[in-house]
Amino acid sequence: MADVKKIAVLPGDGIGPEVIAEAEKVLKKTEELFGYRFETERGLFGGIAIDQRGTPLPDDTLAICKKADAVLLGAVGGPKWDNNPKELRPETGLLGIRKALGLFSNIRPAVIFDCLKDASTLKPEVLDGTDLIVVRELTGGIYFGEKFRRETANGQEAVDTCVYNVKEVERIVRQGFEIARTRRKKLASVDKANVLETSRLWRETVNRIAPDYPDVELEHVLVDNCAMQLLRRPASFDVIVTENMFGDILSDEAAMLTGSIGMLSSASLGEGSFGLYEPVHGSAPDIAGTGAANPIATILSVALMFRLTFGYHEAADVIDNAVKAVLDAGHRTGDIAVDKSQAIGTTAMGDLIVGAMKK
Ligand code: IPM
Ligand code: MN
């Protein structure tokens, strides 16, 4: 009998619970097909935790995550909490969980699904062959630097500080190189070394460790130029490694290249195999509760969990292939349907994918 893998499940807000329910069906089907065993434990996280517990990241939720092998997260946030003070915002819970679990690396693949090329705003010939991964530093930089306000003669002043040390840069850059090694062996390191001191340290560090990866072709790209090149030559990128805020911005841009943010999965990793997996899309409060959400990003996040945390590669292939088969057969949720009147709902899509899962 396979050992039991513990998965902390944090459905969160908006469409989170709906897409998580479909991912759980996929877990169950994997148990049947492969004899694996998953033990899931749910935790309150995000807006729902603010409402029920007065904090976006309750201690018992963190404890559930810490004793798990992996975390599966739906989505957090919504207009209800948008005007709350900082401690009572879902985003604060997200930053807190990343820091508390030591998840310094965020991996967001942006892959063009051939049958969905029309969904992108870019021309198909520009997109052809696009298959890139943004590796974003997740627990440092301006997100976590000292922040404060002070009074000045010109009125209130706000300060955010951006800090990186060599260790933080080195571990994420090495991960970028390692991932590039498993793919097309190209790494673009993105910084703003013409202006920022943190970026100059970043670039020095990249250049110092690059000789350890002679098989990987390295390019340094300034972040503004990268934003442009992503639109001009997306297919030429393989792995992009960058600091926290640049990665936040570029990964949204990269996701939109595919035109189908409802399809993209992500992983947040620390040292070792532990990881937190979530769809790239948000809680979509506008369609929450309508049963219209696309569950594919969350289902593909399960496949990513199988690959990166559990090493269940065959089961991951089964999921990826099932998604592809269902799309190839023409089934679409509203976000990716050309003819919206033909769109199917969340549970129908989940059921079709589970039905297509074959060894
Ligand atoms: C993301 C989100 C978060 C971030 C927000 C919600 C705090 O945009 O995961 O990319 O900026 O990291
Ligand atoms: Mn973001």
Side-chain angles (χ1 to χ4, degrees):
M1 173 114 29
D3 58 339
V4 180
K5 301 291 188 196
K6 287 197 181 131
I7 304 174
V9 177
L10 314 180
D13 309 313
I15 60 170
E18 298 166 57
V19 293
I20 285 287
E22 302 313 307
E24 286 181 316
K25 288 185 198 163
V26 167
L27 285 173
K28 190 153 175 288
K29 179 73 177 188
T30 309
E31 290 184 320
E32 285 163 28
L33 284 176
F34 289 88
Y36 294 143
R37 292 193 47 217
F38 303 110
E39 193 179 287
T40 57
E41 193 171 354
R42 287 182 170 240
L44 288 172
F45 183 55
I48 187 172
I50 296 172
D51 289 352
Q52 295 189 19
R53 296 291 185 73
T55 169
L57 176 56
D59 289 343
D60 57 333
T61 298
L62 197 54
I64 291 170
C65 295
K66 282 189 171 157
K67 62 177 209 254
D69 300 302
V71 181
L72 183 64
L73 172 62
V76 295
K80 185 174 175 193
W81 306 282
D82 274 354
N83 297 316
N84 280 7
K86 190 176 142 207
E87 327 71 68
L88 293 179
R89 292 180 66 106
E91 293 88 338
T92 304
L94 211 47
L95 299 183
I97 203 170
R98 289 171 182 170
K99 197 69 169 181
L101 298 175
L103 305 171
F104 63 84
S105 162
N106 182 229
I107 294 174
R108 295 188 181 179
V111 193
I112 303 288
F113 290 79
D114 270 336
C115 61
L116 296 179
K117 248 193 237 165
D118 297 339
S120 176
T121 50
L122 292 201
K123 295 186 188 125
E125 62 268 30
V126 175
L127 290 170
D128 259 336
T130 296
D131 175 2
L132 63 89
I133 292 186
V134 178
V135 178
R136 167 188 174 192
E137 201 291 324
L138 204 58
T139 51
I142 202 163
Y143 273 60
F144 290 92
E146 201 190 339
K147 303 172 189 301
F148 58 92
R149 295 209 189 181
R150 62 187 163 207
E151 297 303 326
T152 75
N154 296 321
Q156 226 180 46
E157 190 168 78
V159 180
D160 289 292
T161 45
C162 183
V163 182
Y164 270 110
N165 61 46
V166 171
K167 180 180 169 235
E168 288 169 321
V169 177
E170 182 162 344
R171 66 184 179 183
I172 189 76
V173 170
R174 283 197 185 276
Q175 191 157 68
F177 273 114
E178 294 291 343
I179 294 173
R181 248 185 187 166
T182 67
R183 295 171 43 97
R184 303 199 307 280
K185 301 189 170 41
K186 282 164 59 170
L187 183 69
S189 169
V190 173
D191 61 37
K192 188 73 185 173
N194 52 348
V195 177
L196 300 179
E197 205 50 42
T198 42
S199 280
R200 286 191 267 271
L201 180 71
W202 179 281
R203 197 176 279 215
E204 275 166 38
T205 307
V206 174
N207 285 333
R208 179 171 52 77
I209 63 183
D212 293 348
Y213 306 89
D215 50 325
V216 177
E217 184 193 323
L218 168 70
E219 65 170 334
H220 295 285
V221 189
L222 293 171
V223 62
D224 49 346
N225 186 33
C226 184
M228 194 169 82
Q229 300 303 339
L230 270 174
L231 297 182
R232 197 166 81 174
R233 52 169 181 100
S236 75
F237 289 101
D238 179 15
V239 178
I240 292 174
V241 67
T242 191
E243 64 97 60
N244 203 343
M245 188 156 77
F246 298 161
D248 178 45
I249 299 165
L250 294 178
S251 62
D252 265 30
E253 188 187 357
M256 249 310 132
L257 292 174
T258 71
S260 42
I261 199 159
M263 307 282 301
L264 301 176
S265 56
S266 78
S268 299
L269 307 170
E271 311 283 359
S273 63
F274 181 86
L276 178 149
Y277 298 84
E278 60 179 318
V280 167
H281 63 70
S283 60
D286 51 323
I287 57 162
T290 66
N294 183 349
I296 295 181
T298 313
I299 289 171
L300 292 176
S301 298
V302 172
L304 204 55
M305 177 191 290
F306 286 180
R307 282 186 206 288
L308 300 180
T309 292
F310 301 149
Y312 292 167
H313 296 280
E314 196 193 340
D317 287 343
V318 164
I319 297 174
D320 288 347
N321 291 337
V323 169
K324 191 169 176 299
V326 170
L327 290 172
D328 284 344
H331 303 291
R332 302 280 188 273
T333 42
D335 57 318
I336 50 174
V338 178
D339 178 358
K340 305 282 177 212
S341 72
Q342 298 293 308
I344 61 171
T346 313
T347 52
M349 180 57 95
D351 289 343
L352 283 165
I353 293 169
V354 168
M357 285 173 65
K358 302 221 160 56
K359 249 174 125 171

